[in-house]
């Protein structure tokens, strides 16, 4: 029995991805058990935060680490950390901090909306977002020109949401920041690599605990000891309403432990995608193939190209029809207006491929009978 039936919410078949709006991740039983155990006793939260931070730092090979409520909370906390430097008085003033250095440089191509606009998070942390470059081209001189004595940090976004055309690499941005003694904050919310970015020289890197890591609603900030201490201080200020419960801290810990030891899931992904290709191969008007993640991650999805003339409906209409009924199917529909729907095997449970393919067939057959 699905507990959401109690609330009369239709069952969701997720083939979209690790989406916050669909509940992000389904938890591994060991993660759920860790959360249950955590819920059964009292613990001094500061001590838990300290010790968990140490564990996370070790697991991610970072100098230090700090738990947060999610990547968006991590952005706010990281920005507040660089602006206040962890000064107790300034911490209590965020977001209205009376200091000179408050500008946070961000490429226009990185000014994304992940469910909320990223610039709003920079403001909440006390930053003043300063866009550099353009949507499709941001070069070194754009950053160089914008840096002045009011600049507090450079913010970089590693995500499929961000523009991938003519943006400087993270490495190049770190070099520019180093030359001006500015910290680099990296939003790596959905990234799978928990180690490289701090090693590359980012000062603060934040992740969503519920995306690639597969944990509960939570997040993690990695970075140098001094900056992470400044992050922790924010829990006596702007981060107070973003606190993380003991259950989620321990759930995140177990998820990271498991994540580090899980062998590549690529085989499983490809097996599901192949099954989808087989299931849909005979459907007139659909062309199904394997497509690697557009941001280059080790994610392989089923790419369905919908021929509107042959199907009698376009991809947008098919996507909409999939969301009707008792079993609601969510696809990865960012490119639906171009006739493309993607199915993400990572989030599909046993049997989901059959359900999704069956529903697609049914919708198109019914349409063609008319
Ligand atoms: C999802 C996402 C966020 C927000 O993460 P939460 O953990 O939901 O707060 C921020 N930045 C990027 C690039 C994201 O993909």
């Amino acid at each position: 029995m699905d507990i959401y039936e109690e609330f009369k919410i239709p069952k969701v078949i997720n083939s979209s991805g690790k989406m916050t709006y669909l509940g992000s991740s389904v938890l591994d039983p060991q993660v759920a058990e860790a959360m249950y155990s955590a819920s059964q006793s009292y613990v001094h939260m500061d001590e838990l935060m300290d010790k968990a931070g140490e564990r996370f730092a070790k697991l991610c090979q970072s100098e230090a680490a700090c738990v947060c409520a999610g990547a968006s909370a991590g952005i706010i906390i990281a920005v507040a950390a660089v602006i206040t430097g962890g000064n107790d008085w300034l911490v209590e003033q965020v977001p209205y901090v009376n200091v000179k250095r408050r500008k946070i440089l961000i490429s226009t191509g990185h000014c994304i909306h992940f469910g909320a606009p990223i610039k709003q998070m920079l403001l909440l942390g006390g930053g003043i977002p300063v866009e550099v470059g353009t949507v499709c081209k941001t070069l070194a001189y754009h950053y160089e020109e914008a840096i002045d004595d009011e600049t507090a940090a450079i913010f970089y976004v590693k995500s499929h949401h961000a523009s991938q055309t003519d943006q400087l690499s993270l490495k190049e941005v770190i070099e520019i920041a180093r030359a001006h003694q500015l910290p680099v904050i990296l939003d790596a919310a959905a990234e799978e690599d928990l180690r490289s970015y701090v090693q590359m020289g980012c000062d603060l890197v934040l992740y969503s605990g519920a995306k690639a890591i597969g944990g509960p609603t939570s997040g993690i900030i990695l970075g140098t000891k001094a900056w992470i201490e400044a992050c922790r201080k924010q829990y006596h200020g702007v981060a107070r309403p973003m606190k993380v419960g003991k259950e989620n801290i321990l759930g995140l810990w177990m998820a990271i432990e498991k994540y580090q030891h899980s062998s590549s899931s690529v085989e499983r992904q490809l097996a599901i995608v192949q099954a989808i290709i087989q299931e849909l191969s005979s459907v007139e008007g659909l062309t199904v193939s394997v497509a690697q993640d557009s941001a280059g991650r080790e994610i392989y999805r089923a790419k369905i190209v919908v021929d509107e003339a042959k199907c009698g409906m376009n991809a947008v209409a098919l996507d909409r029809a999939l969301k009707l009924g008792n079993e609601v199917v969510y696809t990865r529909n960012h490119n639906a207006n171009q006739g493309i729907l993607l199915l993400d095997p990572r989030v599909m449970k046993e049997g989901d491929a059959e359900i999704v393919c069956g529903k697609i067939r049914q919708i198109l057959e019914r349409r063609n009978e008319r």
Side-chain angles (χ1 to χ4, degrees), residues 156-172:
Y156 195 94
V157 179
K158 202 145 178 50
S159 163
H160 65 277
H161 292 301
S163 166
Q164 311 291 331
T165 50
D166 284 333
Q167 299 292 318
L168 290 190
S169 69
L170 175 60
K171 195 159 164 283
E172 290 167 310

Side-chain angles (χ1 to χ4, degrees), residues 20 69-73 75 112 114 118 157-161 187-190 206-211 218-219:
T20 301
S72 46
I75 297 170
I112 59 168
F114 51 75
I118 201 157
V157 179
K158 202 145 178 50
S159 163
H160 65 277
H161 292 301
D187 176 357
L206 42 103
Y207 294 88
S208 195
K211 290 181 180 170
S218 58

Side-chain angles (χ1 to χ4, degrees), residues 79-315:
V79 168
V82 300
I83 283 171
T84 62
N87 173 291
D88 292 320
W89 164 249
L90 294 177
V91 163
E92 293 185 359
Q93 314 309 311
V94 176
Y96 304 110
V97 199
N98 189 14
V99 294
K100 192 173 177 193
R101 290 178 179 269
R102 286 181 63 189
K103 289 185 184 170
I104 307 290
L105 306 192
I106 176 169
S107 164
T108 301
H110 289 183
C111 288
I112 59 168
H113 192 292
F114 51 75
I118 201 157
K119 281 165 76 179
Q120 185 175 26
M121 306 304 130
L122 304 181
L123 285 165
L124 281 168
I128 298 169
V130 174
E131 283 189 33
V132 300
T134 64
V135 177
C136 55
K137 194 186 255 264
T138 302
L139 300 175
Y141 69 84
H142 290 122
Y143 283 97
E144 295 282 0
E145 203 54 46
I147 294 171
D148 61 18
D149 60 0
E150 294 178 351
T151 307
I154 300 182
F155 194 91
Y156 195 94
V157 179
K158 202 145 178 50
S159 163
H160 65 277
H161 292 301
S163 166
Q164 311 291 331
T165 50
D166 284 333
Q167 299 292 318
L168 290 190
S169 69
L170 175 60
K171 195 159 164 283
E172 290 167 310
V173 168
I174 291 172
E175 277 165 19
I176 294 171
R178 282 286 161 277
H180 295 272
Q181 273 132 40
L182 290 172
V184 173
I185 304 172
L186 176 69
D187 176 357
E191 291 302 301
E192 299 180 313
D193 187 335
L194 304 182
R195 293 184 172 172
S196 304
Y197 305 124
V198 271
Q199 273 154 27
M200 278 171 77
C202 290
D203 296 85
L204 289 168
V205 184
L206 42 103
Y207 294 88
S208 195
K211 290 181 180 170
I213 300 168
T217 300
S218 58
I220 180 168
I221 310 174
L222 305 178
T224 56
K225 223 174 168 122
W227 284 131
I228 291 294
E229 263 171 34
C231 286
R232 276 291 300 281
K233 289 272 183 82
Q234 307 307 321
Y235 283 98
H236 301 291
V238 72
R240 172 69 192 207
M242 308 164 203
K243 64 179 171 294
V244 193
K246 56 192 185 302
E247 301 81 7
N248 288 29
I249 294 175
L250 289 202
L252 175 62
W253 163 63
M254 184 55 80
I256 295 178
E257 285 276 359
K258 296 213 58 136
Y259 182 70
Q260 303 285 7
H261 297 118
S262 67
S263 55
S264 163
S265 67
V266 171
E267 267 168 53
R268 179 183 177 271
Q269 294 182 35
L270 288 173
I272 295 175
V273 171
Q274 285 307 337
I276 293 169
I277 292 175
Q278 197 123 45
E279 278 284 320
L280 297 179
S281 63
S282 60
V283 179
E284 170 96 357
L286 299 184
T287 312
V288 193
S289 59
V290 187
Q292 193 179 352
D293 178 56
S294 60
R297 292 174 296 176
E298 284 278 325
I299 304 170
Y300 298 88
R301 303 188 176 97
K303 177 182 175 183
I304 304 176
V305 182
V306 181
D307 182 330
E308 184 174 355
K310 286 192 185 136
C311 291
M313 62 172 24
N314 61 22

